[in-house]
Amino acid sequence: MKNTVVTFINSKKNGQKLSMLTAYDYTMAKIIDGTEINGILVGDSLGMVTLGYDSTLAVTVEDMIHHGRAVVRGVKNTLVTVDMPFMSYHNTLAEAIDNAGRIIKQTQAHAVKVEGGREILDKVKGLIKAQIPVMGHLGLTPQSLNIMGGFKVQGKSEEAAKKIIEDAKLLEEAGVFAIVLECIPEKLADLVSKSISIPTIGIGSGAGCDGQILVYQDMLNMDEDFKPKFVKTFADAGAVIKDGIKKYVDQVRDGEFPAVEHTFTMKEEVLEKLY
């Protein structure tokens, strides 16, 4: 295993920026693992980009295990973290440990990720005490969508900004190995990153973070109807896929595919006996 929890922590100490992407299936995980990526997140964003929900709230532990298992099968070098979905760690500590334990045991992933700060601190401490590595997540936490009133930038007021800084420190003290900072102002993310010794992984939070994460469908422009401000298109895979499918449809319709080189043959003497 090339990238581990220790690698993540040491990367910040060595001043090396970390890169992460989401993945939800074997094929994409294998492609991503073949690069120099530092981490893969099996995000509960799969509810939206893979299952077609309008939020992450409907995603279940079983969904995360199913997709997490597929991703891990495609990975040899990359740290794999799996999201704990909505209501899988919010009630009792025993329930949180049971769900996280199932995720780790059944997927063979290396860590879990949870959303929130001081309000889930007892769960974070319990998971780490149970020898389960934990990644934190502050700022825009999609599982709190209904409380936040939608997908909005967080930490813009003094009070909200102070809470994010304090929560980051509390999570570090509790033992998380990294914290995702989602959709907070760049200067606030920079302050948070400088106030803790563990890596911050930004998404929509500027270049001051110790690393970055994106949903792979977003950065490959696979959904032309969804383009958040913080996403850059690194390759127009959506257009390439569409073009490839169109060529396939055209050639099947016109009888160009399959050609001789795409078909199997049999001996003439065998064929003659069938007539």
Side-chain angles (χ1 to χ4, degrees):
M1 173 58 62
K2 177 181 173 184
N3 291 297
T4 64
V5 167
V6 175
T7 306
F8 256 64
I9 296 171
N10 288 341
S11 292
K12 177 162 184 168
K13 293 177 181 177
N14 297 330
Q16 299 171 338
K17 292 282 189 178
L18 293 159
S19 56
M20 291 187 69
L21 284 172
T22 61
Y24 315 103
D25 63 79
Y26 169 83
T27 302
M28 197 65 203
K30 191 174 181 181
I31 291 171
I32 294 173
D33 186 60
T35 70
E36 295 183 356
I37 202 87
N38 300 110
I40 289 175
L41 173 67
V42 186
D44 59 0
S45 48
L46 68 87
M48 302 173 75
V49 299
T50 301
L51 302 179
Y53 299 136
D54 61 2
S55 75
T56 65
L57 301 183
V59 176
T60 65
V61 171
E62 285 68 29
D63 290 332
M64 299 311 304
I65 290 172
H66 176 81
H67 289 271
R69 224 184 240 148
V71 167
V72 171
R73 291 190 193 111
V75 169
K76 293 181 180 178
N77 301 308
T78 309
L79 179 79
V80 178
T81 301
V82 177
D83 261 333
M84 293 193 69
F86 181 59
M87 295 308 296
S88 67
Y89 57 97
H90 300 77
N91 292 322
T92 67
L93 175 57
E95 183 180 41
I97 293 173
D98 180 63
N99 286 326
R102 284 182 59 210
I103 289 171
I104 295 296
K105 286 179 69 175
Q106 294 183 40
T107 68
Q108 295 297 296
H110 311 105
V112 296
K113 181 171 76 62
V114 295
E115 296 181 6
R118 65 197 69 187
E119 64 277 6
I120 61 158
L121 213 58
D122 61 325
K123 313 299 193 310
V124 171
K125 291 177 179 178
L127 292 177
I128 293 169
K129 188 176 180 180
Q131 306 302 306
I132 299 172
V134 178
M135 178 180 286
H137 186 152
L138 296 172
L140 172 57
T141 48
Q143 291 175 16
S144 303
L145 178 68
N146 291 332
I147 292 176
M148 292 180 173
F151 295 101
K152 299 178 180 178
V153 176
Q154 301 296 308
K156 296 177 78 173
S157 70
E158 181 182 353
E159 181 182 0
K162 283 182 177 179
K163 183 179 185 299
I164 289 174
I165 295 171
E166 291 167 2
D167 280 350
K169 292 177 179 179
L170 289 171
L171 287 173
E172 178 185 21
E173 290 171 9
V176 303
F177 69 91
I179 302 174
V180 170
L181 298 178
E182 182 168 358
C183 290
I184 66 174
E186 181 177 18
K187 290 185 178 179
L188 174 58
D190 188 56
L191 280 172
V192 173
S193 301
K194 289 175 178 175
S195 69
I196 58 177
S197 62
I198 57 174
T200 58
I201 309 298
I203 176 167
S205 299
C209 296
D210 303 301
Q212 299 293 324
I213 184 168
L214 286 174
V215 172
Y216 85 82
Q217 288 96 332
D218 294 347
M219 54 87 73
L220 295 179
N221 198 32
M222 295 180 71
D223 183 354
E224 59 189 19
D225 297 324
F226 183 72
K227 190 67 181 288
K229 178 182 179 180
F230 56 82
V231 171
K232 176 180 178 179
T233 298
F234 288 85
D236 199 352
V240 172
I241 292 169
K242 271 188 178 179
D243 183 61
I245 293 173
K246 185 178 184 305
K247 287 177 179 176
Y248 166 72
V249 171
D250 290 345
Q251 290 189 24
V252 169
R253 183 185 57 228
D254 298 340
E256 295 178 42
F257 177 84
V260 174
E261 61 266 30
H262 307 120
T263 57
F264 300 100
T265 60
M266 62 190 302
K267 292 180 179 179
E268 286 296 326
E269 57 266 30
V270 174
L271 183 61
E272 287 174 4
K273 292 178 181 180
L274 297 176
Y275 284 93

